[in-house]
Amino acid sequence: MKPVLPIAVSVNLTPFAWNTNKRILSEALAAAEVFASNPANWSAARVVNGWETCVTASGNETPQILVVFPELCLAGPGYADWLGSDEVLARSRELLEELLPLTQGMTVFFGLPVRAGGQVHKEMVVAENGRLKESVSDGMTIIELDRLEQVVDRTGEVIICSGSVPFELGGMARLRERLQEESRRRNALIIFANYLGNESGTMLYDGGSLITTPKETAQGRRFSYEDFTLTTLADTLETLPDWERSANLAYEEFARAVPLGLFDYLRKCKGQGYTLSLSGGADSAACAVLCRLMVEFGRSYPGFRQKLTAMKPFADCACSGDLSPEALMPRLLWTVYQGTRNSSEVTRIAAREVAKAVASTHYEFDVDPLVEAYKGMVSTQIGRPLTWQEDDLALQNIQARTRAPGVWLLANATKSVLLTTCNRSEEAAGYATMDGDTSGGLAPLGGIDKAFLRRWLLWMEKEGPCDGPAFAALSYINDQQPTAELRPGAAHQTDEADLMPYVILNLFEEAVVAKKLVRNPAIDWVQERQSDVDASYPREQLASWYDRFWRMWRASQWKRERSAPSFHVDTRDLSPSACQFPILSGD
């Protein structure tokens, strides 16, 4: 087998955007061809044979150029039930035919859907010198990522690993270790190309393509704001940015994944910014900071500026080259604090300081007269006053719901996307007011738990990302106990008093939702893991909290099924497509 130069291509695609996807794939092929045609790149890019570097810039033997795209790249992975439609199947095939002329001098692996025997399958096809090949070359094989460990007779080969892996915290490290082990075990060169960005709304892809030999590993730069990235063996682990080796890798990943998702969501849905009800609490502050990080990280990429030119509110900044947060953020994010008589000056000031720190356009609404009007209207009709002793939940909920129309109006007036601030812990417990704080079109925090968010906000205050800012103003948030501020101040309401400590809630969520443990097994499981979260509570207290969690979990499935789309960022996901539970259950 002749020496090979492997190139893995990550692409940021959109379902049904056939013209845009064709441009991106064409530009990626052209970039790969330009790179591979220059012998000066061969040494750095590790032309290999027998999995040893064998060709230098002065070498005489031209390597075989292997270009690998992600599975389904001619369609994209986000079509759901439409993947097998005649439209998608036909257009994917047409796109393949249109790209074939661009494969001159290269062996290119494309993924597309095909229908066979009444079923739709994911297939990797091979193009070489402008034509489709009937089979892969000797010494090469295509294996699905999910079946890699099951195939035992592929050794000493080039393995094209098909599949796509959505982003999860820590997921890249796990995938890298897995492919390294398989490469050594099989004495094989393994090439895996992954997607990039927010491809179809909820799934995020970090663009972390991988190329492994038994002796070395290359990983693509993750969380790029470009349309595509190329990975070669020159992208060794030693060349990765410092944050990839951080002791706070999960925080670093979260600080990059969600901002990239927010940017892609905004431009692909043709929104003109984000609107956020900034309460002065942890969740809304996290959303605001993540919007700011979108600008902080994105502006270093030429593709970020290029994409902004097509977004009306930011076109003049992009054309002038002023991509500073001070120029972009007031046009990108509208925040509003909505106070009632139960709101405190502490949260009002906290919201104002966070808005100032992220440079959003900030407003303050007084919704108390609206709340009182609703209370008076209903009291008159039912013939009695509404009181905290008899109507606690109703009086809490009307405040949250009264905040929704004004912020929705602001979002509509600015043609922006309204963000909800619900996190996964609140989704699990149903600790949110439907049509109140759940109002919005996107839930950036819906895939992460509150305990993680609180730690992340403290880190963002004190340290911040390796190549990004810290936000000292978050001290106004971190110095508080999380509170909905829906009861009178004398009640000293806090979220954890209403629920339980968030670290314990997170453990019960994992025990019940992920492991399907109920009652005593769930309590046992949580009790055994208290030391993992630096907490220690007696079994009687854990049992009481379990009963509360189980009751709230069972009663709130209807809320989860109505929640806004959220990003998948952790190993657990409570979205209706990922987590099914009866709406009505129990005695």
Side-chain angles (χ1 to χ4, degrees), residues 166-167 197-205 261 566-568 573 575 577-578:
F167 169 76
N198 181 0
E199 187 266 350
S200 59
T202 59
M203 290 299 179
L204 305 180
Y205 294 90
S566 60
F567 297 143
H568 178 91
D573 187 345
S575 65
S577 61

Side-chain angles (χ1 to χ4, degrees), residues 134-194:
E134 292 185 0
S135 62
V136 296
S137 304
D138 290 341
M140 295 187 189
T141 189
I142 300 171
I143 298 177
E144 293 181 12
L145 184 62
D146 292 341
R147 296 184 61 247
L148 183 58
E149 291 87 346
Q150 301 171 17
V151 181
V152 296
D153 60 345
R154 302 297 186 185
T155 60
E157 293 190 337
V158 177
I159 295 178
I160 308 302
C161 208
S162 67
S164 59
V165 180
F167 169 76
E168 287 182 354
L169 294 173
M172 173 52 65
R174 294 189 292 270
L175 178 62
R176 186 174 63 235
E177 291 172 4
R178 177 185 172 195
L179 293 190
Q180 286 171 328
E181 179 182 350
E182 290 300 316
S183 178
R184 290 190 292 265
R185 185 166 70 91
R186 302 173 186 279
N187 190 34
L189 168 66
I190 300 179
I191 308 171
F192 168 74
N194 203 10

Side-chain angles (χ1 to χ4, degrees), residues 212-228:
T212 65
T213 75
K215 294 185 177 181
E216 60 184 331
T217 299
Q219 177 185 309
R221 295 295 179 100
R222 298 198 286 159
F223 308 115
S224 171
Y225 285 71
E226 305 292 356
D227 287 328
F228 66 88

Side-chain angles (χ1 to χ4, degrees), residues 97-357:
E97 296 295 332
E98 293 168 353
L99 294 175
L100 282 178
L102 303 180
T103 65
Q104 293 292 335
M106 299 180 289
T107 302
V108 183
F109 293 79
F110 294 109
L112 79 164
V114 296
R115 184 185 290 132
Q119 299 292 322
V120 176
H121 305 276
K122 302 173 184 178
E123 183 173 303
M124 292 292 283
V125 296
V126 188
E128 192 170 270
N129 295 321
R131 293 187 175 185
L132 281 179
K133 297 184 66 177
E134 292 185 0
S135 62
V136 296
S137 304
D138 290 341
M140 295 187 189
T141 189
I142 300 171
I143 298 177
E144 293 181 12
L145 184 62
D146 292 341
R147 296 184 61 247
L148 183 58
E149 291 87 346
Q150 301 171 17
V151 181
V152 296
D153 60 345
R154 302 297 186 185
T155 60
E157 293 190 337
V158 177
I159 295 178
I160 308 302
C161 208
S162 67
S164 59
V165 180
F167 169 76
E168 287 182 354
L169 294 173
M172 173 52 65
R174 294 189 292 270
L175 178 62
R176 186 174 63 235
E177 291 172 4
R178 177 185 172 195
L179 293 190
Q180 286 171 328
E181 179 182 350
E182 290 300 316
S183 178
R184 290 190 292 265
R185 185 166 70 91
R186 302 173 186 279
N187 190 34
L189 168 66
I190 300 179
I191 308 171
F192 168 74
N194 203 10
Y195 280 99
L196 171 64
N198 181 0
E199 187 266 350
S200 59
T202 59
M203 290 299 179
L204 305 180
Y205 294 90
D206 61 15
S209 294
L210 289 165
I211 304 175
T212 65
T213 75
K215 294 185 177 181
E216 60 184 331
T217 299
Q219 177 185 309
R221 295 295 179 100
R222 298 198 286 159
F223 308 115
S224 171
Y225 285 71
E226 305 292 356
D227 287 328
F228 66 88
T229 61
L230 305 182
T231 300
T232 72
L233 278 171
D235 300 304
T236 63
L237 301 183
E238 290 72 24
T239 67
L240 292 176
D242 290 341
W243 69 263
E244 289 273 22
R245 289 176 287 276
S246 170
N248 298 304
L249 180 59
Y251 298 160
E252 296 276 2
E253 288 182 322
F254 185 76
R256 288 164 169 77
V258 177
L260 177 58
L262 284 167
F263 181 66
D264 271 358
Y265 196 100
L266 187 66
R267 67 184 182 86
K268 291 181 179 183
C269 79
K270 306 297 190 289
Q272 296 190 13
Y274 284 114
T275 295
L276 173 66
S277 188
L278 194 58
S279 68
D283 299 319
S284 60
C287 290
V289 168
L290 289 164
C291 287
R292 171 63 180 257
L293 291 176
M294 171 174 63
V295 173
E296 294 285 351
F297 291 132
R299 62 195 182 121
S300 64
Y301 292 91
F304 181 77
R305 175 178 176 179
Q306 181 183 17
K307 294 176 178 67
L308 285 180
T309 60
M311 301 170 71
K312 185 177 179 181
F314 319 109
D316 58 340
C317 293
C319 292
S320 69
D322 185 3
L323 302 183
S324 66
E326 292 71 26
L328 291 177
M329 285 302 297
R331 308 171 186 222
L332 173 70
L333 181 63
W334 287 267
T335 55
V336 53
Y337 179 84
Q338 302 188 80
T340 71
R341 64 187 60 194
N342 295 326
S343 304
S344 68
E345 194 64 17
V346 171
T347 54
R348 183 186 301 274
I349 293 173
R352 191 180 301 162
E353 291 300 320
V354 169
K356 186 187 304 181

Side-chain angles (χ1 to χ4, degrees), residues 320-538:
S320 69
D322 185 3
L323 302 183
S324 66
E326 292 71 26
L328 291 177
M329 285 302 297
R331 308 171 186 222
L332 173 70
L333 181 63
W334 287 267
T335 55
V336 53
Y337 179 84
Q338 302 188 80
T340 71
R341 64 187 60 194
N342 295 326
S343 304
S344 68
E345 194 64 17
V346 171
T347 54
R348 183 186 301 274
I349 293 173
R352 191 180 301 162
E353 291 300 320
V354 169
K356 186 187 304 181
V358 301
S360 65
T361 296
H362 186 62
Y363 303 113
E364 293 185 359
F365 295 168
D366 180 8
V367 298
D368 198 65
L370 300 175
V371 174
E372 293 304 306
Y374 277 119
K375 288 165 58 179
M377 178 176 64
V378 172
S379 294
T380 298
Q381 294 299 313
I382 65 175
R384 67 171 179 82
L386 298 171
T387 67
W388 286 103
Q389 292 73 27
E390 191 171 347
D391 307 291
D392 177 82
L393 187 59
L395 291 176
Q396 289 191 68
N397 284 342
I398 190 57
Q399 294 168 80
R401 291 195 175 104
T402 303
R403 289 173 175 141
V407 74
W408 262 123
L409 179 58
L410 177 61
N412 292 162
T414 55
K415 298 181 175 63
S416 59
V417 176
L418 179 59
L419 298 177
T420 82
T421 60
C422 290
N423 57 68
R424 197 182 71 220
S425 299
E426 292 173 349
E427 292 275 4
Y431 191 68
T433 302
M434 190 52 62
D435 304 317
D437 48 339
T438 60
S439 293
L442 179 65
L445 308 181
I448 199 69
D449 64 90
K450 184 63 169 273
F452 177 94
L453 275 175
R454 294 184 70 185
R455 296 192 302 269
W456 184 79
L457 285 169
L458 189 61
W459 176 75
M460 284 299 305
E461 175 198 344
K462 304 294 186 182
E463 299 180 41
C466 285
D467 50 352
F471 293 86
L474 289 175
S475 63
Y476 289 92
I477 305 297
N478 294 328
D479 289 346
Q480 304 177 49
Q481 281 294 313
T483 173
E485 286 195 323
L486 297 177
R487 292 192 181 105
H492 302 294
Q493 182 182 26
T494 68
D495 294 355
E496 290 186 316
D498 284 352
L499 295 167
M500 65 195 72
Y502 276 114
V503 292
I504 299 300
L505 193 157
N506 192 42
L507 287 175
F508 273 125
E509 182 207 328
E510 183 172 0
V512 172
V513 182
K515 299 186 176 299
K516 306 297 187 288
L517 302 177
V518 179
R519 189 57 191 175
N520 288 337
I523 298 168
D524 292 341
W525 191 88
V526 171
Q527 189 171 24
E528 291 170 2
R529 284 157 182 79
Q530 288 189 90
S531 59
D532 296 341
V533 293
D534 296 325
S536 182
Y537 299 97

